[in-house]
Amino acid sequence: MTRAVLRYVSHRITAHPDSDPAVSARCLHGDCPWEVHARSSAKAVDVECMQHTGLTGHGIFARTYEDVAVVVRNE
Ligand SMILES: [Zn+2]
């Protein structure tokens, strides 16, 4: 029989302090290929979505938020 000793260590996860979330968006209207690749400013992506709506009338978008996370051991 093999025995194992398991130790549980408490951790926490937070956004990395030196990173900004990256945001991207793509239009969900029909087969519209319009998309914005990751930018560090959600506001800039929102403006581009609104410009796309103004030009095409397409008003539904999928937005993706990506950040860098860091896990640290609780002391
Ligand atoms: Zn579109």
Side-chain angles (χ1 to χ4, degrees):
M1 175 193 283
T2 301
R3 292 185 175 206
V5 176
L6 301 177
R7 295 186 324 145
Y8 296 95
V9 179
S10 176
H11 291 82
R12 60 188 153 85
I13 186 167
T14 61
H16 193 286
D18 294 335
S19 71
D20 291 322
V23 183
S24 58
R26 64 185 169 86
C27 180
L28 295 180
H29 183 90
D31 57 355
C32 179
W34 186 89
E35 61 184 5
V36 176
H37 296 288
R39 305 270 162 79
S40 61
S41 165
K43 188 174 282 187
V45 171
D46 288 349
V47 168
E48 292 196 42
C49 289
M50 289 185 283
Q51 289 173 341
H52 182 67
T53 300
L55 291 171
T56 65
H58 302 168
I60 307 292
F61 301 90
R63 293 190 297 182
T64 302
Y65 293 80
E66 180 180 315
D67 69 348
V68 176
V70 59
V71 173
V72 296
R73 192 172 174 165
N74 285 330
E75 298 299 327

